Amino acid sequence: MGFFKTLFTGREETEEEKKEHDEKSQFDIFKYDGIQALRMGQTDYAIACFEHALDIKDDIETQQFYASTLMRKGDLEGATEAFVELNRMEGEGNVETMLTLADLYFQQEDYEKMGGMCDAVMAADDSLATPYYYKACMQNAQNDLFNAVASVTIAITKREDFNNAYLLRAKILCRMQQFAEAEKDIDHLIGLGLDEDDEIMMMKAEICDVLGKKEDAKTFYRKVIELNPYTTKAYMQLGNILHEEGNSKEAAALVEEGLKLAPEEMQNITGEYTNFEKKMQDAYDAINPFK
């Protein structure tokens, strides 16, 4: 490069120019090696490459790759620091980056920073539904249920097809024992064709159960078991209904089936029952006519 620079400009490359050229070459090598490593699934090597590139110079695109890779790896603390730096580099005006930070703060239960980030997004663009949804998630986690319902309702108002917001509102309303209102949100989701979602079906079953609609509850618990045979709670709840109806033998067989299908990860390292499995076993013992 020095030869061509001399040929076309008539002067030698200065030490400062040579250093700048060398740094640019090194930066490009580290950045694109990191991208290639990421494509090949070599996450740790990609992170190291991006770190070396960023040590040479600030670059928004490289910082985006770096932050996203840390988040993909599950390094929440590292990803948060990287996205904070990205937010600074972007001028603290990129709502996508700020929403990602809000989510990361939520996962780490840093609700003060999460709330501040949601407020910043709302101030930047109040037409967005997501910051209100995130704020509702935060308020729900803090047991601020009335404000959580208000926030998630605003999110739904701003985006009527926000299915996760309907589901969240149903969950919050159930916590408030407003089961009839919660059922409206669940029925809305079912009406959209989400009747193959086992979480939604489980909520429908439990709401029907609480409201005394036992036949409907049985139907939906069976639907849950059909969709996801490892939903052990559905076996227990359905078993309880059958036991209350006097079908103790059928109930015991059902709960026993649920126990057998319980995933291995539900047991702790000592092989003892977790609290939920203990509850399942107690329920089985209570309705087993042969015990």
Side-chain angles (χ1 to χ4, degrees):
M1 180 68 179
F3 169 76
F4 289 106
K5 188 108 176 171
T6 301
L7 180 64
F8 291 112
T9 66
R11 67 179 180 83
E12 289 285 348
E13 192 174 35
T14 66
E15 286 298 319
E16 185 176 345
E17 289 172 334
K18 185 176 184 302
K19 180 181 178 182
E20 183 180 335
H21 171 255
D22 289 344
E23 286 182 348
K24 183 181 185 306
S25 296
Q26 286 295 307
F27 171 81
D28 289 341
I29 289 170
F30 284 125
K31 177 179 178 178
Y32 293 107
D33 274 3
I35 294 172
Q36 185 64 25
L38 198 55
R39 289 171 179 164
M40 297 172 65
Q42 299 174 346
T43 304
D44 289 338
Y45 182 64
I47 290 171
C49 287
F50 294 140
E51 286 176 342
H52 285 306
L54 290 167
D55 282 341
I56 296 171
K57 73 168 185 177
D58 285 347
D59 178 71
I60 288 178
E61 186 179 42
T62 305
Q63 188 70 28
Q64 289 170 334
F65 277 118
Y66 177 54
S68 298
T69 306
L70 287 168
M71 187 165 65
R72 181 186 304 180
K73 185 183 178 183
D75 182 356
L76 296 181
E77 185 175 340
T80 302
E81 292 177 2
F83 274 106
V84 167
E85 176 61 14
L86 177 61
N87 194 37
R88 182 196 66 77
M89 292 167 66
E90 292 172 332
E92 300 185 357
N94 188 315
V95 295
E96 184 176 346
T97 298
M98 290 191 287
L99 285 173
T100 301
L101 273 170
D103 187 26
L104 286 166
Y105 287 135
F106 179 65
Q107 292 181 63
Q108 296 170 84
E109 300 182 6
D110 191 339
Y111 300 131
E112 182 178 354
K113 288 182 180 178
M114 180 191 182
M117 201 57 63
C118 288
D119 290 340
V121 176
M122 293 171 190
D125 186 351
D126 193 48
S127 69
L128 297 175
T130 304
Y132 288 94
Y133 171 76
Y134 279 174
K135 200 154 194 177
C137 291
M138 176 190 74
Q139 291 162 335
N140 183 44
Q142 294 176 307
N143 297 315
D144 185 4
L145 302 184
F146 288 101
N147 283 323
V149 168
S151 295
V152 75
T153 299
I154 294 173
I156 291 170
T157 301
K158 291 180 179 293
R159 184 179 143 196
E160 292 183 1
D161 65 344
F162 203 158
N163 293 345
N164 283 341
Y166 284 99
L167 182 58
L168 175 62
R169 187 167 68 179
K171 290 178 180 179
I172 298 168
L173 287 168
C174 282
R175 292 189 64 194
M176 298 171 70
Q177 299 188 15
Q178 301 295 316
F179 299 107
E181 291 302 310
E183 188 175 25
K184 292 177 183 178
D185 283 337
I186 293 300
D187 286 344
H188 171 78
L189 295 174
I190 293 173
L192 295 175
L194 298 177
D195 54 345
E196 297 299 308
D197 186 306
D198 61 288
E199 182 181 12
I200 291 172
M201 290 294 99
M202 186 66 185
M203 284 199 67
K204 176 66 173 178
E206 291 183 303
I207 289 171
C208 288
D209 200 348
V210 171
L211 292 176
K213 298 187 287 187
K214 299 299 182 179
E215 289 302 315
D216 287 341
K218 288 192 293 183
T219 297
F220 288 111
Y221 282 133
R222 293 189 191 280
K223 178 69 172 178
V224 172
I225 292 169
E226 176 187 328
L227 291 170
N228 183 359
Y230 295 101
T231 310
T232 50
K233 190 176 182 182
Y235 291 91
M236 185 177 75
Q237 302 288 68
L238 178 55
N240 285 338
I241 294 176
L242 292 171
H243 177 61
E244 289 170 359
E245 293 177 340
N247 299 321
S248 297
K249 185 176 179 180
E250 183 183 355
L254 183 74
V255 175
E256 183 179 22
E257 181 184 353
L259 283 169
K260 288 179 179 178
L261 287 173
E264 292 182 3
E265 59 265 25
M266 290 183 66
Q267 291 184 335
N268 61 31
I269 57 174
T270 65
E272 297 175 350
Y273 283 121
T274 61
N275 289 336
F276 185 72
E277 284 181 305
K278 179 64 164 57
K279 193 174 181 181
M280 284 281 288
Q281 186 64 52
D282 290 345
Y284 172 65
D285 291 341
I287 61 182
N288 183 0
F290 304 107
K291 187 173 176 64

